[in-house]
Amino acid sequence: MDGRDLVRSVKAFGSAGAAQGLRTVRAAWRGRRADAVALPPRGPERARVPGRMLEVEPGPGGGLIRFSRSQLRILVAVNGAVFWGWDGAEPEPSYALADGCPEPDPRAVLEPDKDGGRRVVAERVTVAVSRLGAVEVRTPGGVVLRRELPPRWWEPVGGGPARWTQRSEVAADARFFGLGGPASGPRLRDGSYRLWNTGTGPASPGGEVPPHVTMPVQMVVADAGTHLVFHDNPWEGSVTLREGEEGAGSGHDRPGTSALRMEGGPLRCWVTVGTPARVLLAWASLTGAPALPPAWALGHHHGRDFAGEQELRRVVAGFQERELPLDAVHLGAGHLEARRAFTVDDERFPKLAVLAEELRREGIRLVSVVEPGVPVVPGSAVYDGGVDEDVFVRGAAGPVVRGVGRSGEVVFPDFTHPRVREWWAGLHEERLERGFAGLWHDRNEPASFTAFGEPTLPRSARHRLEGREGDHREAHNVYALCMARAAYEGLRALAPEERPFVLSRSGWAGMQRYGGAWSAEVPTGWPGLRASLARVLGLGLCGVPYSGADAGGCGGAPSPELYLRWLQLAAYLPLFRTYGGEREGRREPWEFGAEVLEHARVALVERRRLTPYFVTLAHLARRTGAPCVRPLWWSAPEERRLRDCEDAFLLGDCLLVAPVLDPGAGGRAVRLPRGRWYDTVTERAYEGPAQVLVEAPPGRIPVFARAGAVVPVRGEDGGPELEVWAPARGRAGGGLVVTDAGDGWAEPVTERYVTRREGRRVIVEREGEDGPAEPSCPVRVRGLGERPVQM
């Protein structure tokens, strides 16, 4: 943090911001001084490459290849994933893997390859290693999907962690996705991307969107196939991407390139190959099935900093009086005592538990914000307990490291220690006693309250790292992941009859095991609207299916048009939240005028109608790892035009959503994948693949249903109903419907439906053990009256 950041703090918060800014400057100065002592300059370094291949030692699923200056371990797992690690790096220990390294595939063996190299042939992939250490990932037909050039290390002469670089080549037609969902995505253009979870203060300079979630995960889509590559290393780094070009220079293709540079840590990698669905299924088997949110969490959330119970009641009553669906209310940090962690301000919220129970009976849950920083207040139960248990992060010199929170100095629990996670988990009993049904984690990168990208904890701060011991350079990116784990396990133990709800601003690979994420501080503005969609798509391709965006953005007052278009987009995302904090002001729909209110009501009512469909998608995501929000190329990655389409998305298998992302638009072009699609409002049919021009009046955004789709919805009487879209003549359709048994752990009912057309009639049958059966709920067929428009 520098003087410019301090000025921005003053503008945002006045004298209070100046005080916080000064505290942050002091904390940053202390951290830099500590790093200068504990982490001396690297000094001279020696460069190293693997050298020549010397010998091979076969083993289960692959084996060990020794080079003159390094060694490479290769393993093909039974789920089809491939692991390799250099210099003795093994799959474990890892924060990303859910249940450790999967069993090796006994059918995969090392065998000779051309030019003196070696290869491992598996059912879905072949991995070849050259004499000098280049690694190729090939399809079973021998087409190269990815070529990893021999890595290069820079080792300090005086000792210390080695930096390393891994350069890779992909097909000229390939497109990059992933990395945790940068705002510039979902397709990742040429450029450099930092791998370091970053938090900003109240007024992000220049409108930049910080990477709160970063993962060294790339999904690469090309004509030859799709693959996902994950370098399991949480250290700080960067990846520089460059798309290829076909016929570049004398008719030759220029391959796409990726250059990963890490400041330390192991060089180990996992690769999965196949269709996008198969790739993410294997990824979920490695890093864990996504947590299943409770059913209420798939409805509409609204949050803000409430001045007290009366204001909270007034806002809830405002939704009810205007017949606006509301399923959860998020309370910002204003409901907590300023100087005590996990303590509700009893002066402003004297009967919060009673209010929470009243709201629960009306179908509304309360969600509490939780930040990792514990205020330094001797006499506070949480602070004193943490000191007694020795749970706070210490510096290299020994004393506990202090950062800056909303109300002054704070200290941070070391969530990389199992004992600390258990202590933190027990603190959530107070949240449950107050009536809260879930948590959302803020500033958990961790970030200082007013530090613009300044790390709260110095890089030299010490962490337990599950007993391995290390510093913040390794722990920073997994800090939020470990905090989410502590919360999830705490809620699971304290309220075992209910599925936990944990929402996190930051995270790392595997965070889906404990909950979801939201797009965090995406700045208010039309570019921010696009960025929020990019983040949700990117997170889904990294295995985090439950995410969403705060309608309206962060740090400014949206125009009525921008707010409405953002809300219409958010209504079709798994996490649907409207939020207004200190900087955003009121964000209730009625604050934007009568016209916006009416249009917002349509979006909110439609979300409630589609809740059974979101429940089905959440269960399928848990079973398969497939995201709820998918890019248009999901089912047809070979379609190049779909790879470059970033302004629309598939919601499961049944719906295509085309949000309005530009001001003043009354219509837009929509690219449709192959097959017949129906406009869900007009029921007009279109035949894809095609690009169509459709109307997008203020009251709605274009949404299309796939012909033959079976969409579970809430009927007019509140009961379940099947909305079936007529299949094209000569074609069949169908779908899965998963009926949630509630917010607990009871096994849901799964039904498979098939649809077919006989003349003017559409036949809908449920597959049963004894053959076709009648649907278990009413059926409404749509799309029978329109002939398809040929484009």
Side-chain angles (χ1 to χ4, degrees), residues 13 32 92 141 201 285 288 311 364 388 404 570 634:
F13 290 99
R32 290 174 180 175
E92 300 178 79
S285 71
E311 184 181 31
I364 301 172
D388 294 340
V404 179
W634 176 259

Side-chain angles (χ1 to χ4, degrees), residues 438-484:
L439 309 169
W440 58 289
H441 290 169
D442 200 5
R443 314 203 67 78
N444 57 337
E445 289 77 17
S448 288
F449 185 58
T450 57
F452 298 84
E454 186 70 41
T456 292
L457 293 170
R459 286 172 167 77
S460 59
R462 304 301 299 172
H463 291 267
R464 307 296 175 84
L465 294 170
E466 318 306 318
R468 293 182 288 110
E469 302 293 336
D471 59 41
H472 196 62
R473 292 175 295 179
E474 181 177 358
H476 177 85
N477 280 341
V478 299
Y479 187 88
L481 171 73
C482 295
M483 180 182 177

Side-chain angles (χ1 to χ4, degrees), residues 612 615-616 619 623 712 720 737-742 746-751 776:
V615 169
T616 293
H619 279 278
R623 297 177 186 181
V737 175
V738 183
T739 304
D740 206 339
E747 189 67 23
V749 177
T750 302
E751 299 174 332
S776 60

Side-chain angles (χ1 to χ4, degrees), residues 275-364:
T275 64
R278 187 181 292 276
V279 162
L280 283 186
L281 177 62
W283 176 245
S285 71
L286 279 176
T287 61
L292 184 65
W296 59 263
L298 294 167
H300 172 224
H301 303 233
H302 181 71
R304 57 178 293 188
D305 280 325
F306 294 96
E309 281 185 22
Q310 293 305 311
E311 184 181 31
L312 173 56
R313 288 181 182 273
R314 284 196 302 271
V315 170
V316 172
F319 278 92
Q320 294 172 331
E321 292 167 0
R322 295 169 175 85
E323 299 181 343
L324 301 175
L326 181 64
D327 298 277
V329 178
H330 291 222
L331 275 64
H335 79 284
L336 300 171
E337 280 196 22
R339 299 290 289 153
R340 295 177 186 271
F342 281 96
T343 306
V344 171
D345 189 332
D346 286 326
E347 291 187 5
R348 291 181 294 141
F349 295 87
K351 298 180 180 180
L352 187 58
V354 175
L355 174 58
E357 182 58 32
E358 293 176 2
L359 294 177
R360 183 182 287 259
R361 288 196 295 268
E362 297 175 5
I364 301 172

Side-chain angles (χ1 to χ4, degrees), residues 49 139 145 152 163 168 242 268 299 309 349 353 403 435 503 525 531 552 746:
V49 294
T139 67
L145 294 177
R152 183 180 296 270
R163 298 184 296 118
S168 313
R242 182 185 177 190
R268 54 186 180 179
E309 281 185 22
F349 295 87
L503 193 64

Side-chain angles (χ1 to χ4, degrees), residues 53 55-66 72-75 107-113 117-121 127-129:
M53 186 183 296
E55 58 181 347
V56 176
E57 182 180 316
L64 185 67
I65 303 176
R66 292 186 176 88
L72 175 67
R73 163 86 183 279
I74 293 183
L75 179 147
R107 300 169 297 176
V109 295
L110 270 174
E111 61 184 33
D113 195 22
R118 293 292 187 275
R119 68 181 182 181
V120 180
V121 180
V127 182
V129 183

